[in-house]
Amino acid sequence: MLNLERLRTLDALARHGSVSGAAEALHVTTSAVSQQMGKLEREVGQQLLAKNGRGVRLTDAGRLLSEHAARILSQVELAQSDLEAHRGQVVGELRLSAFPTAARGLFPTALAALRTRHPALRVRSCELEPENGVAGVVRGDLDLAVVLDWYNKPMPVPDGLVKAPLFDDPADVAMPAGHRLADRDEVDLGEFAEDEWITWGEGEFCHEWLMFTLRSRGVEPIVGHRAAETHTQLGLVSAGLGVCIAPLLGRRPVPPGVVMVPLTQRVRRHVYVVWRADADRRPSIRAAVEALREAAGQVD
């Protein structure tokens, strides 16, 4: 009889491509992964892993069994979802992530509501950038992820995931109070060709969106500073070190000395939540989506 936990270990190895990656995803030690794989090899009577330089790779038998393991684990999740739906109770554990400003702007309200309404539900949350949140849901490390894309740069959602909109998040340009455009009712991105921008980290989805959008307006961006958190960016703006795009979500309170000016071409982020289709019937998923939507409705 195949052991489900050892199949889960094999599946994690196949998805992450290394013992250390599987261990991190499963929240166990690398030694525990190796022990589980050794037991699984003895159970099936075949070699599943082979040395590959300093790492390991799956053998043909390992790849074959990992494909079955993925299907078996999906069926187990479907069974758990069906049982949870049949019972009709919001119980068990729910793992979810959000990009930083959504974690700050939505999670306190949403997770407090879940705790009050469903005390038997144990919620575990973390901050992750949108791409990492989606990847975590696909891998099965997370049950839900709050993610985003921009009005002119959608983020693809892999097959097998369900998504539900939470709200559209408007964004303004944040500038120092003494900026030459601070008294305007609205501004165009093309007017910031000579300004230094405070942006997100290199390679992050929002940074790539800003570079793409500025260039589409004929502006070659001058990047002065980078910061992951909106409030860090606004602190740098307050110090007169540049301008930034400031979405509404998570920016309150605005620091002294910072002025928000809307853009002539309205800029919005689409904020939504994703989960695996095979978990669609879980009452805990529906309860979390409802709480997140209620929290989104309170953003101002």
Side-chain angles (χ1 to χ4, degrees):
M1 182 70 69
L2 292 170
N3 179 280
L4 189 62
E5 288 308 307
R6 291 195 261 283
L7 288 180
R8 198 179 302 279
T9 302
L10 175 63
D11 178 63
L13 265 170
R15 288 187 284 106
H16 295 277
S18 69
V19 172
S20 59
E24 183 177 353
L26 296 170
H27 306 290
V28 299
T29 64
T30 54
S31 176
V33 170
S34 298
Q35 290 173 15
Q36 289 283 59
M37 290 305 302
K39 291 177 181 178
L40 185 58
E41 286 182 329
R42 290 193 291 273
E43 286 176 353
V44 301
Q46 296 188 60
Q47 185 179 0
L48 303 176
L49 295 178
K51 290 189 178 298
N52 184 29
R54 298 177 64 182
V56 296
R57 61 172 177 81
L58 293 179
T59 64
D60 289 343
R63 286 194 296 272
L64 177 64
L65 185 56
S66 72
E67 292 171 1
H68 284 289
R71 290 193 290 270
I72 290 168
L73 293 170
S74 178
Q75 285 300 120
V76 168
E77 179 147 14
L78 280 170
Q80 291 173 334
S81 297
D82 285 346
L83 284 171
E84 191 177 317
H86 184 265
R87 185 168 46 185
Q89 296 177 347
V90 181
V91 296
E93 181 175 276
L94 194 70
R95 302 156 299 169
L96 65 163
S97 73
F99 57 94
T101 50
R104 182 175 189 270
L106 298 179
F107 273 4
T109 301
L111 302 190
L114 282 173
R115 173 171 289 186
T116 299
R117 297 170 189 168
H118 310 290
L121 178 67
R122 186 173 64 172
V123 178
R124 297 288 178 262
S125 70
C126 64
E127 287 186 3
L128 286 176
E129 290 299 322
E131 306 96 320
N132 296 331
V134 168
V137 174
V138 170
R139 291 194 305 264
D141 302 335
L142 298 168
D143 297 303
L144 300 102
V146 179
V147 297
L148 66 88
D149 57 24
W150 293 85
Y151 73 103
N152 59 342
K153 194 173 178 64
M155 186 175 70
V157 175
D159 292 340
L161 297 189
V162 178
K163 79 176 196 177
L166 295 179
F167 77 118
D168 282 350
D169 186 22
D172 302 322
V173 178
M175 61 189 76
H179 193 278
R180 67 187 186 282
L181 303 176
D183 61 349
R184 294 270 295 275
D185 293 331
E186 57 184 29
V187 291
D188 188 277
L189 282 175
E191 298 179 90
F192 294 92
E194 304 302 320
D195 286 273
E196 283 195 51
W197 282 91
I198 299 161
T199 180
W200 297 267
E202 183 73 37
E204 289 187 14
F205 184 74
C206 288
H207 170 78
E208 296 303 321
W209 165 80
L210 180 60
M211 299 300 100
F212 166 81
T213 303
L214 287 170
R215 287 168 181 150
S216 72
R217 302 292 296 170
V219 175
E220 183 54 38
I222 304 170
V223 176
H225 307 278
R226 301 178 187 275
E229 288 283 355
T230 297
H231 265 253
T232 304
Q233 294 184 10
L234 292 177
L236 294 170
V237 172
S238 178
L241 299 174
V243 301
C244 74
I245 293 291
L248 178 62
L249 180 62
R251 79 184 185 198
R252 306 288 188 189
V254 176
V258 175
V259 174
M260 300 289 176
V261 182
L263 283 156
T264 304
Q265 182 185 21
R266 295 294 185 254
V267 170
R268 291 182 178 273
R269 303 190 298 185
H270 307 307
V271 181
Y272 50 96
V273 59
V274 298
W275 64 92
R276 292 183 302 281
D278 54 16
D280 200 38
R281 295 185 61 194
R282 289 176 58 186
S284 57
I285 296 285
R286 294 197 296 272
V289 173
E290 179 184 1
L292 286 165
R293 281 178 164 163
E294 290 175 359
Q298 298 177 36
V299 174
D300 58 14

